[in-house]
Amino acid sequence: MDRLSNTVRPYAWGSTTAIPALLGTAPTGEPQAEMWMGAHPGAPSRIARPKSTTDAANTTAQTERPLTEVIAADPEGELGAATVTRFGPRLPFLLKLLAAGSPLSLQVHPDLDQARKGYADEEARGIPIDAPHRTYKDANHKPELICALTPFDGLCGFRRPTEAADAMEALGVDSLKPYVDLLRAHPEEAALREVLTAILGADPAEMADTVAEAAAACERLGGAHAPYARIAHNYPGDPGVLAAMLLNYVQLQPGEALFLGAGVPHAYLDGLGVEIMANSDNVLRCGLTPKHIDVPELLRIVRFEATEPGVLRPEASPSGEERYETPVDEFALSRYTLASGAAPAELTAPTPQILLCTAGTVRVGELDLTPGQSVYVPAAEAVEATGSGTLFRATVAA
């Protein structure tokens, strides 16, 4: 078992205070958007693991090593043979603390088959992996789960076209009338597809005026329109403001979660949460961003169907583990609420784990964790937890 040193990513949309407040550190004044825990090559966690028995005896040699390096040196020993057989010699999930101070981009993720084909196609065409117009960074899908630690606002999935039409019509903006008519005149899938296509393909200058009028109307109306006024404030003139009005607005309370599968458009707006995902960078953006939007590929990936945002609550078990059930293999997220003096929580598993404390003080093996601190546990290593606090457990689905 190893204590993790983790990187905080300073994306512009990040909160300046939420992660420092959890960690008990002073804000820097800069946004602190995501703290990554895992073995993603972009920002792998680091551990103080010696490279050899000689190094183990020499305290000066025990410098931190990237978790990617540790796993690459002994994949089966770290991940377990079953995990390597299923997913290859890499940790198949990435765990994050995510702190949104302003809306993230509106986005969608491909399924596994789409990701493999899209990645192979761009590789064959010789598009550099770091090119701004590159869509597929790897050949993996990116299902994800966000669990709220504070009240958390987001957009998730299309709402019924008639509901979107009502919301747009209430703004009283003449240039939105064609979208309103399309949403009411066509079957669900065709209506959503045609309106999103029209929004993303419209003349930017004309769309900026429409978005400005819509934003002013949202500000004036408030209520159910208030989230879109807030989005427009952060992204003035962005067509994504109108695309966002096609989606369900959802507010999570602490402990509640959202699962985002392939093809489901979504955006996080505000709040602090624990996020887990398959270890991938594949994101297709639909708006609320200055980055490249690949409209033809986006329209191929998006699932144009109205859905209710399925809010997940953890399912308790006799062991005290509260698990968030999802239909994916790469990850499983659960939560333990530990009480002082209670029997230890037995956490030994045949799969690799990352354990994250989010409240109180928790003792994992010989290590004490306070909020925001985490440990990596190799497959099959014996481990139990005690103390008084909340511990999230990330591992591979059984």
Side-chain angles (χ1 to χ4, degrees):
M1 181 186 347
D2 304 273
R3 187 185 296 275
L4 293 177
S5 295
N6 303 305
T7 298
V8 175
R9 310 305 294 263
Y11 304 134
W13 49 261
S15 168
T16 59
T17 58
I19 289 179
L22 184 73
L23 299 176
T25 59
T28 64
E30 299 297 318
Q32 297 187 38
E34 296 180 347
M35 186 172 78
W36 288 21
M37 292 159 280
H40 191 287
S45 298
R46 301 168 302 284
I47 62 175
R49 178 93 67 89
K51 291 185 178 183
S52 66
T53 54
T54 301
D55 289 342
N58 180 3
T59 56
T60 61
Q62 295 186 37
T63 56
E64 289 186 335
R65 300 168 60 196
L67 188 55
T68 45
E69 176 186 301
V70 172
I71 291 172
D74 183 12
E76 289 199 4
E78 298 294 333
L79 306 177
T83 297
V84 173
T85 298
R86 293 167 70 191
F87 304 108
R90 64 190 185 94
L91 190 68
F93 64 83
L94 175 65
L95 186 68
K96 299 179 181 180
L97 279 173
L98 184 147
S102 60
L104 282 67
S105 63
L106 191 61
Q107 57 188 251
V108 69
H109 306 303
D111 64 27
L112 189 55
D113 183 62
Q114 291 164 341
R116 287 171 175 167
K117 291 178 179 177
Y119 179 78
D121 173 66
E122 290 188 320
E123 286 289 283
R125 288 189 283 135
I127 301 175
I129 200 70
D130 58 353
H133 62 289
R134 175 89 185 216
T135 298
Y136 293 96
K137 306 296 186 182
D138 53 67
N140 199 17
H141 63 164
K142 192 185 177 185
E144 60 189 44
L145 176 80
I146 183 78
C147 177
L149 295 179
T150 67
F152 194 98
D153 296 358
L155 303 172
C156 177
F158 288 111
R159 55 181 168 178
R160 288 192 292 272
T162 53
E163 292 179 0
D166 290 344
M168 287 187 177
E169 187 173 47
L171 300 179
V173 176
D174 289 343
S175 53
L176 291 179
K177 189 174 186 304
Y179 303 145
V180 172
D181 291 342
L182 283 172
L183 288 167
R184 290 200 170 128
H186 294 283
E188 177 179 290
E189 180 179 348
L192 294 170
R193 178 182 292 276
E194 289 186 36
V195 172
L196 184 62
T197 302
I199 288 172
L200 297 180
D203 178 81
E206 293 180 4
M207 184 57 71
D209 292 338
T210 297
V211 172
E213 288 187 61
C218 287
E219 184 75 33
R220 183 179 66 253
L221 292 172
H225 288 83
Y228 307 104
R230 180 155 47 97
I231 292 170
H233 176 76
N234 286 277
Y235 297 96
D238 193 308
V241 174
L242 301 181
M245 296 189 72
L246 300 174
L247 306 188
N248 296 295
Y249 172 64
V250 60
Q251 292 180 296
L252 300 178
Q253 295 305 310
E256 295 180 334
L258 279 177
F259 172 72
L260 290 311
V264 177
H266 60 279
Y268 302 143
L269 305 181
D270 183 71
L272 176 67
V274 174
E275 185 182 38
I276 189 168
M277 61 187 62
N279 208 346
S280 170
D281 277 336
N282 285 326
V283 175
L284 287 92
R285 293 174 176 85
C286 323
L288 310 182
T289 179
K291 295 182 179 180
H292 174 64
I293 298 177
D294 185 344
V295 175
E297 186 68 5
L298 173 70
L299 296 175
R300 194 178 72 83
I301 296 301
V302 171
R303 294 183 179 177
F304 290 97
E305 57 184 19
T307 58
E308 293 294 328
V311 176
L312 299 177
R313 296 172 181 83
E315 298 183 11
S317 68
S319 68
E321 182 180 27
E322 299 177 300
R323 184 161 175 160
Y324 295 89
E325 296 293 342
T326 64
V328 297
D329 296 329
E330 284 86 351
F331 63 77
L333 185 71
S334 57
R335 182 181 68 175
Y336 289 84
T337 303
L338 304 173
S340 181
E346 174 56 52
L347 302 176
T348 305
T351 50
Q353 304 179 72
I354 292 177
L355 307 175
L356 166 68
C357 176
T358 59
T361 300
V362 176
R363 189 167 183 80
V364 180
E366 299 300 316
L367 300 176
D368 290 325
L369 303 183
T370 56
Q373 295 184 335
S374 55
V375 297
Y376 162 72
V377 184
E381 182 172 313
V383 61
E384 60 182 29
T386 59
S388 178
T390 303
L391 186 72
F392 279 85
R393 177 193 206 185
T395 188
V396 180

